[in-house]
């Protein structure tokens, strides 16, 4: 699954276009590598998203094409 699609489905970022822009600006890393919005992610990857001065680090647990809002947090777990 593409990283911009995963961020939207998991609701880490609300819109796919914003996820794409953030990836193109180098604010998204997977396994400590800066990636493009078209990069693929897999279960077990460590995702790091920078929002201004705040950073979210999460491990991908599941990949789904669609999900309900209540189930979106089951796609990842936060890592310190």
């Amino acid at each position: 699954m593409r990283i911009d699609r995963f961020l939207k489905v998991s609701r880490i970022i609300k819109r796919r276009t914003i996820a794409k822009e953030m990836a193109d600006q180098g604010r998204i890393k997977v396994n400590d590598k800066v990636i493009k919005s078209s990069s693929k992610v897999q279960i077990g990857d460590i995702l790091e998203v920078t929002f201004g001065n705040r950073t979210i680090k999460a491990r991908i647990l599941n990949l789904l094409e669609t999900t309900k809002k209540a189930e979106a947090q089951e796609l990842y777990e936060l890592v310190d």
Side-chain angles (χ1 to χ4, degrees), residues 4 13-23 28 51:
D4 56 349
I13 298 176
K14 300 269 185 196
R15 287 177 289 201
R16 190 170 175 183
T17 55
I18 293 174
K20 181 182 181 317
E21 290 172 7
M22 288 179 70
I28 299 175
F51 298 98

Side-chain angles (χ1 to χ4, degrees), residues 37-50:
S37 60
S38 61
S39 298
K40 303 287 184 190
V41 292
Q42 300 175 1
I43 294 173
D45 286 347
I46 303 295
L47 176 68
E48 194 172 328
V49 182
T50 304

Side-chain angles (χ1 to χ4, degrees), residues 1-17:
M1 174 180 281
R2 288 172 52 119
I3 185 64
D4 56 349
R5 175 105 174 118
F6 175 77
L7 290 170
K8 181 204 178 284
V9 170
S10 66
R11 290 176 171 79
I12 293 174
I13 298 176
K14 300 269 185 196
R15 287 177 289 201
R16 190 170 175 183
T17 55

Side-chain angles (χ1 to χ4, degrees), residues 24-40:
D24 292 341
Q25 293 171 0
R27 294 167 47 189
I28 299 175
K29 295 180 183 179
V30 173
N31 299 328
D32 295 324
K33 295 180 184 174
V34 177
I35 60 167
K36 296 180 181 179
S37 60
S38 61
S39 298
K40 303 287 184 190

